[in-house]
Amino acid sequence: MTHLDETYSTLRDCWIAGGQGSQVAPAEWRPLLTDDPDTDERRLLAIASQAFEVGLRPALGTHTTRPPLPPLARPVVAERMRPLVRRVLAAERTADRVLDLLDRRGCTMHPLDWFPGGSDADLPEVYRPWQEWARETAGRPVTTVHPDDDLDDADDWDHLYPSARRWLLRRLRASDPPAARTVLDQHFASVQAAERLGLLEVVGQTGLCDDDVPFLESLATDRSGKVKTLSRQLLMRLGHLEVDPDDLAELCTFVTVKKKVLLPTTVSPTKTKTDVLRRRRDQLFATTGFADFATALGISRDELIDGWRLGDHSATTALVEMVVATGTCDDAAHLAKVLLSKHTTGRNQNHHTYLATPLAARLDTAAHVAVLTALPQLGLWAVHQWVGERAATFGDVADVSWLSTAAFAQLCGTNDPIDVASANTLALMCPPDVAATIAERAREAGVGPHYLDMFTLSAELAHPTEGA
Amino acid sequence: MPFDLPAVEALAPDQSSLTAASKLNRPAKWSALAHEDDLWWGEAQGSGANPYRVVVDGTDVGYKCTCPSRKFPCKHSLALMWIQATSPTSFAEGTRPQWVSDWMGRRRTTTTSAPKTAPASKSIDDATVAEEPPDPQAEAKRAAAAAKRAQATRASITDGLDELDRWIVDQVRLGLAAFADNALDRCRKIAARLVDAKATNLASRLDEMPSRLLAVPTEERPDVAVRELGKIVLLTTAWRTDPHAPQVARDVGAAEQREQVLTNPEAVQVAGRWEVVGEQITTRRDGLVSHTTWLLNLADAEATGDAEATGDTEKAGDTEKTRDAATLRFAVLADFYPASAGRREQVFTDGAQLDATMAFYPSPAPLRAVIAARTDAPVRQEWPTPAPDPDPLAQCADAWAAVPWQLEHPVLLPAGRVVEADDTRLWWKADAGGAGLPLAGTHDLVLHGLELTSTVGLWDGFRLTLLAAQTPFGRVSLV
């Protein structure tokens, strides 16, 4: 401690309790004092206050310096666009869609605008160094496996966090399915139930084929009910699970099939008289397979979908869940088209769109676009409901002919209500030039700028150096 | 629909608005005048430090101004319409800026148009009548009365400061621990006395002291109290020494008007490239909103030094009151307006760069300024590179020696990092070693990982408030 420190501390301690500083002032300060104690006190206060500027400096003791934030493989978004990015982020429910858009345009978020948590799943790969930095600063084990590394070593597996395991499993399922199956055989049983379910979802989403049957059959005795149910559904999807014929026969009693010579076949859910019956029907929908159901009714799968009467939402919901769980991608796309084609503009009549939403999880991008192209009358809100969180993963949809219809018209000045999320969905699906055109036309039509931020961002990210 | 003078006349709420608008209807009073089709906008420099943004829509005579006037349309909107009617070529063709788009997005278009006839009580002709030359006798009387009032004010302030001095000694005698616990009441009472004594700005400073005390941990409050009270003693001492000194008179009584600064030969003007590095908007206890904008002078000190050394007058400045760039590293624009006027829109985007001439309020250490003239900078310029210094606060030494009662001072820090001390408090630490400054507020964990190649902050003697920094990821705003 310096002399000034000591002097200041003595004076301060005197003043804290209430006392005369002049009595404890150091000898070299005394020439400044007078006969007036009030004046002396004020002078000492003035000198003490100046000590902070002149002689006292805060002393940093032992401290921790975090490792520098690693640079990413892609540049952060241009400075001039960061306010726009922040506005778009604020309007979105989560950052996922904005991240995907930036990823598509070859840039990344600024770390102070958005930063990943250590356990965020399904982020674009480019943010992995930041995720690992976040984990390291949080004191958790850091994943050291590079994306190009093979996931075939037990030590690697133990060092991976759940989202990384899912990410690498998905990659292996696409590039080397046998290696992926080996990894599952070795490690699946050793992880927790929630993680097992996540890994099994990856199996269902990526290259599900007959070679997966032995693994799926081995899960019949899994400790988790959800894992067992999902594995049964995947087996049904592959046609490798025998369903109890009595259950199928009982399920068939809940619908009425009318076949006519010149008219299409109709399949009408029978009205259930009690809640017990309804629950039983829903249970049968959940434990049997779609293909088996159609066969038991004596009609094709397409006839079942086309002929399904939509009056009973509870029954339709059960059918949708059955198709999501055990139908093929074509079945899901077909049923989605049927449901979405019933969409009308009034928001209270949009329940068919809600019913169709779970089917989106079974479709790839091309199938999504095919559905949209087949239904050009879909309004902005219905498009948003259907595409939703996956809009940014579409890439820039090359064929935007459907944009000239209802959704576009709605955005550009009709009196239909629109919301920012729906407008953003449309923006995320447009190529940059189309996004720029729509933004311009909508702005001319008087649409508020906050509805058009995502269009502007999408367009400007394609030309990052302009106006910089 | 283009405007014409009868329409402007009809829109004016009263004759005084028209008269006030007539004084602003010269393009020289405006910056960034532009239009896109029938949408016209510009920035008018009002009495505050920040300009007012004005936009009028010719299609339905809609208008918007950021000034706090309660007259609609205000004199700025009327003046913009007036310029459009009489001098439309003053408006450059342009693309509407974001703030104009935002306004257009928010407003509801109406079919209302301007009334075709004006009430007889308002007249453009009356508004533009040249003012009669002042009567020298009346002027002399007014000047004498003003001088008498000023003398009375100074006497009143001096009496108030005497009471303040006694109050300060009382606080010390009663103990700073008790003062810290009861600062709100004690400071409010003496602040009210100072308002009565016409020491308005000093009263506000005392009124805000409790908030500065309570912002630090309990164990540091006596230190803050010593510093605050000691600085007030320094200010009152300076008043008694020379109450006419501009900085002293401003900090005790009231600040000069913008026009007084611009016409004051002692006011230093600095032309150069400035970057907005931070904006602070706080509501004070007296009901005023304090709107502070910090600007960093981007001129390179070494380059300027070379220019001066070589006698290059064109580069080094050619008027007496015009200092060359980099002699003053920072400027602060300060506006105060009633909270009841509502939230005022941000005028400058954080990080914006402008080519501007800053007119500084006269002071031995100029900092507060108004913008004398400005244009948007066409190309961004890099920050100057601060040299590593074992004591990063040395750059404030001259300012604090000249104005020792100043509470905070902006600093441009060299390369450093944010580190976490063992007591979990955050510090800025120079890469070159040695110095460390404790940080105010909380910060995102990400900031710990950023290498700050240079940083702008406000040092208040205890804490560094970060404003902005340059990093490998670009410029970051930290306010």
Side-chain angles (χ1 to χ4, degrees):
Chain A
M1 187 177 271
T2 65
H3 179 61
L4 183 59
D5 276 321
E6 287 174 8
T7 305
Y8 171 75
S9 297
T10 306
L11 278 170
R12 182 198 54 196
D13 293 346
C14 168
W15 286 327
I16 285 176
Q20 282 199 312
S22 53
Q23 292 176 355
V24 296
E28 59 268 33
W29 289 21
R30 291 192 183 276
L32 296 170
L33 303 182
T34 64
D35 293 335
D36 178 15
D38 286 2
T39 304
D40 292 347
E41 221 59 36
R42 285 195 293 272
R43 285 187 178 183
L44 289 173
L45 262 179
I47 296 169
S49 76
Q50 276 299 84
F52 288 97
E53 272 71 293
V54 177
L56 298 181
R57 290 290 180 267
L60 172 61
T62 53
H63 58 275
T64 308
T65 306
R66 307 281 183 191
L69 195 62
L72 301 182
R74 292 177 180 177
V76 295
V77 67
E79 181 66 27
R80 72 186 174 86
M81 278 189 274
R82 284 182 58 205
L84 185 57
V85 171
R86 286 195 291 268
R87 282 206 302 276
V88 169
L89 268 179
E92 285 282 291
R93 195 169 55 84
T94 67
D96 296 350
R97 303 201 306 178
V98 188
L99 293 176
D100 286 334
L101 175 65
L102 263 61
D103 197 42
R104 247 163 58 200
R105 298 282 187 268
C107 59
T108 60
M109 286 283 193
H110 193 283
L112 286 184
D113 295 337
W114 174 89
F115 197 75
S119 57
D120 284 353
D122 301 326
L123 293 176
E125 166 57 22
V126 70
Y127 295 103
R128 180 175 291 268
W130 285 0
Q131 267 196 305
E132 296 187 353
W133 184 89
R135 288 179 60 79
E136 188 176 346
T137 52
R140 286 180 284 176
V142 179
T143 304
T144 53
V145 175
H146 189 271
D148 292 335
D149 292 346
D150 289 332
L151 182 64
D152 55 1
D153 185 277
D155 293 338
D156 288 346
W157 178 270
D158 291 338
H159 284 100
L160 291 173
Y161 48 94
S163 63
R165 289 172 181 168
R166 283 199 299 278
W167 182 85
L168 285 167
L169 179 63
R170 186 172 286 118
R171 195 172 63 87
L172 269 184
R173 291 274 298 173
S175 62
D176 188 359
R181 277 188 284 277
T182 304
V183 166
L184 285 172
D185 288 340
Q186 288 178 351
H187 302 292
F188 189 85
S190 63
V191 297
Q192 294 179 349
E195 192 179 339
R196 290 204 301 281
L197 188 63
L199 293 171
L200 194 55
E201 283 171 351
V202 172
V203 171
Q205 292 162 358
T206 322
L208 183 67
C209 64
D210 288 346
D211 293 338
D212 295 316
V213 171
F215 168 68
L216 294 173
E217 286 176 339
S218 73
L219 303 181
T221 56
D222 194 274
R223 302 183 298 280
S224 161
K226 287 182 180 176
V227 171
K228 272 193 285 195
T229 302
L230 182 56
S231 65
R232 274 175 55 81
Q233 289 171 343
L234 294 180
L235 282 169
M236 274 192 271
R237 205 183 289 175
L238 291 169
H240 281 270
L241 188 72
E242 290 292 326
V243 179
D244 186 345
D246 292 341
D247 284 352
L248 273 175
E250 187 183 354
L251 179 59
C252 290
T253 64
F254 284 99
V255 295
T256 304
V257 179
K258 288 184 181 173
K259 292 184 180 176
K260 295 175 183 174
V261 178
L262 295 175
L263 294 173
T265 299
T266 62
V267 184
S268 306
T270 309
K271 191 170 183 181
T272 50
K273 292 181 179 173
T274 65
D275 281 348
V276 174
L277 280 174
R278 185 182 54 75
R279 281 198 293 273
R280 175 60 183 161
R281 182 196 64 191
D282 292 349
Q283 185 188 16
L284 290 168
F285 267 113
T287 53
T288 55
F290 179 68
D292 294 331
F293 180 42
T295 305
L297 290 173
I299 56 178
S300 70
R301 293 186 300 194
D302 286 347
E303 282 178 314
L304 173 53
I305 291 171
D306 287 330
W308 186 264
R309 294 293 176 193
L310 296 172
D312 183 342
H313 295 324
S314 171
T316 305
T317 301
L319 179 73
V320 167
E321 287 173 358
M322 177 189 249
V323 172
V324 170
T326 64
T328 63
C329 293
D330 289 344
D331 294 333
H334 188 180
L335 182 55
K337 279 182 199 171
V338 168
L339 290 170
L340 290 170
S341 66
K342 306 293 181 188
H343 171 85
T344 51
T345 52
R347 186 163 279 219
N348 292 332
Q349 298 167 35
N350 283 338
H351 37 247
H352 293 124
T353 309
Y354 279 125
L355 291 173
T357 303
L359 294 161
R362 290 294 313 279
L363 303 190
D364 58 17
T365 301
H368 262 102
V369 174
V371 170
L372 292 169
T373 308
L375 300 167
Q377 79 279 13
L378 281 188
L380 199 57
W381 182 83
V383 170
H384 172 60
Q385 281 299 311
W386 173 239
V387 179
E389 298 301 316
R390 302 185 60 187
T393 63
F394 275 36
D396 299 319
V397 180
D399 178 10
V400 290
S401 55
W402 58 274
L403 287 177
S404 62
T405 58
F408 178 56
Q410 194 179 350
L411 183 69
C412 290
T414 68
N415 290 324
D416 291 336
I418 58 175
D419 58 61
V420 174
S422 301
N424 286 356
T425 296
L426 196 61
L428 288 164
M429 299 170 66
C430 296
D433 54 336
V434 177
T437 306
I438 291 178
E440 191 178 339
R441 288 182 57 180
R443 197 174 290 120
E444 285 171 1
V447 176
H450 54 292
Y451 290 108
L452 305 175
D453 281 341
M454 190 72 93
F455 288 95
T456 309
L457 180 63
S458 173
E460 292 201 0
L461 283 174
H463 310 287
T465 55
E466 283 182 13
Chain B
M1 180 189 81
F3 296 96
D4 54 22
L5 289 182
V8 177
E9 191 176 76
L11 277 168
D14 51 35
Q15 181 63 45
S16 64
S17 296
L18 268 181
T19 307
S22 74
K23 293 171 185 164
L24 291 169
N25 75 349
R26 290 183 295 281
K29 296 269 186 183
W30 293 74
S31 59
L33 283 175
H35 80 105
E36 183 186 291
D37 300 327
D38 260 352
L39 200 58
W40 312 78
W41 64 87
E43 293 179 0
Q45 187 60 63
S47 54
N50 291 299
Y52 301 129
R53 286 176 161 173
V54 192
V55 54
V56 295
D57 187 352
T59 54
D60 57 359
V61 203
Y63 48 84
K64 166 73 180 173
C65 177
T66 58
C67 79
S69 170
R70 290 198 173 91
K71 289 185 178 178
F72 302 102
C74 66
K75 62 181 179 182
H76 306 106
S77 303
L78 289 170
L80 193 73
M81 296 177 201
W82 197 325
I83 297 172
Q84 196 281 327
T86 55
S87 176
T89 51
S90 306
F91 293 83
E93 285 269 357
T95 308
R96 67 182 73 172
Q98 187 65 39
W99 62 273
V100 174
S101 296
D102 288 347
W103 175 70
M104 288 296 286
R106 282 198 304 272
R107 74 183 295 243
R108 293 181 189 154
T109 51
T110 63
T111 53
T112 314
S113 59
K116 299 297 178 198
T117 57
S121 59
K122 298 177 290 177
S123 162
I124 287 272
D125 295 336
D126 290 348
T128 50
V129 168
E131 290 179 9
E132 289 181 10
D135 175 8
Q137 246 184 337
E139 280 292 298
K141 267 188 179 178
R142 268 198 292 273
K148 195 174 175 185
R149 278 199 306 275
Q151 192 175 8
T153 300
R154 280 195 293 276
S156 171
I157 288 176
T158 303
D159 290 345
L161 297 191
D162 289 343
E163 189 174 346
L164 176 63
D165 278 347
R166 289 192 293 276
W167 178 85
I168 289 172
V169 174
D170 285 347
Q171 306 316 308
V172 175
R173 297 256 165 82
L174 292 169
L176 293 180
F179 173 71
D181 290 342
N182 198 20
L184 277 171
D185 281 348
R186 294 190 190 183
C187 289
R188 173 50 62 93
K189 280 176 187 162
I190 189 64
R193 301 288 297 156
L194 289 172
V195 169
D196 293 344
K198 298 185 175 62
T200 320
N201 280 347
L202 184 53
S204 297
R205 178 172 175 156
L206 274 152
D207 224 6
E208 293 302 306
M209 190 194 294
S211 67
R212 292 190 289 271
L213 272 176
L214 298 175
V216 299
T218 312
E219 66 272 17
E220 290 183 25
R221 287 176 191 167
D223 292 324
V224 176
V226 167
R227 184 171 184 266
E228 294 262 353
L229 295 174
K231 282 178 177 292
I232 290 173
V233 170
L234 289 164
L235 178 55
T236 58
T237 307
W239 170 271
R240 290 199 180 82
T241 307
D242 182 7
H244 299 282
Q247 178 79 50
V248 177
R250 185 181 316 125
D251 290 342
V252 172
E256 305 92 316
Q257 298 292 316
R258 169 188 163 79
E259 292 305 323
Q260 290 174 293
V261 176
L262 291 175
T263 55
N264 189 337
E266 291 177 14
V268 173
Q269 295 203 359
V270 176
R273 175 72 56 83
W274 300 82
E275 179 171 320
V276 179
V277 288
E279 191 176 43
Q280 295 172 315
I281 300 176
T282 54
T283 303
R284 306 192 318 189
R285 291 182 79 202
D286 58 7
L288 286 181
V289 174
S290 163
H291 184 157
T292 311
T293 307
W294 295 93
L295 295 124
L296 170 69
N297 185 348
L298 299 180
D300 190 324
E302 288 180 13
T304 304
D306 292 345
E308 286 173 335
T310 54
D312 186 343
T313 52
E314 196 173 336
K315 282 173 79 177
D318 54 7
T319 65
E320 269 187 30
K321 69 172 186 175
T322 303
R323 281 202 204 175
D324 210 332
T327 52
L328 294 173
R329 178 56 72 200
F330 291 97
V332 58
L333 308 177
D335 268 341
F336 304 93
Y337 50 90
S340 56
R343 185 176 180 278
R344 200 173 292 182
E345 288 178 30
Q346 200 174 2
V347 175
F348 298 110
T349 309
D350 186 48
Q353 293 191 351
L354 40 144
D355 288 323
T357 301
M358 296 289 171
F360 286 84
Y361 285 68
S363 167
L367 183 61
R368 185 175 171 183
V370 294
I371 298 177
R374 79 169 175 101
T375 54
D376 289 334
V379 181
R380 285 192 72 79
Q381 187 173 323
E382 297 297 315
W383 283 15
T385 308
D389 190 326
D391 181 7
L393 298 177
Q395 59 188 291
C396 313
D398 289 346
W400 260 319
V403 189
W405 55 87
Q406 188 167 309
L407 284 174
E408 59 186 7
H409 200 280
V411 286
L412 176 61
L413 300 169
R417 294 285 304 276
V418 170
V419 300
E420 189 176 335
D422 282 352
D423 60 1
T424 72
R425 291 186 190 166
L426 299 183
W427 289 61
W428 171 88
K429 180 179 177 299
D431 281 349
L437 300 174
L439 297 183
T442 55
H443 291 281
D444 201 313
L445 184 67
V446 176
L447 191 60
H448 300 210
L450 292 180
E451 293 168 296
L452 309 174
T453 49
S454 51
T455 304
V456 172
L458 296 176
W459 176 248
D460 66 3
F462 295 94
R463 294 281 187 279
L464 178 72
T465 302
L466 296 176
L467 293 179
Q470 294 289 354
T471 75
F473 294 96
R475 181 192 184 282
V476 293
S477 173
L478 302 169
V479 181

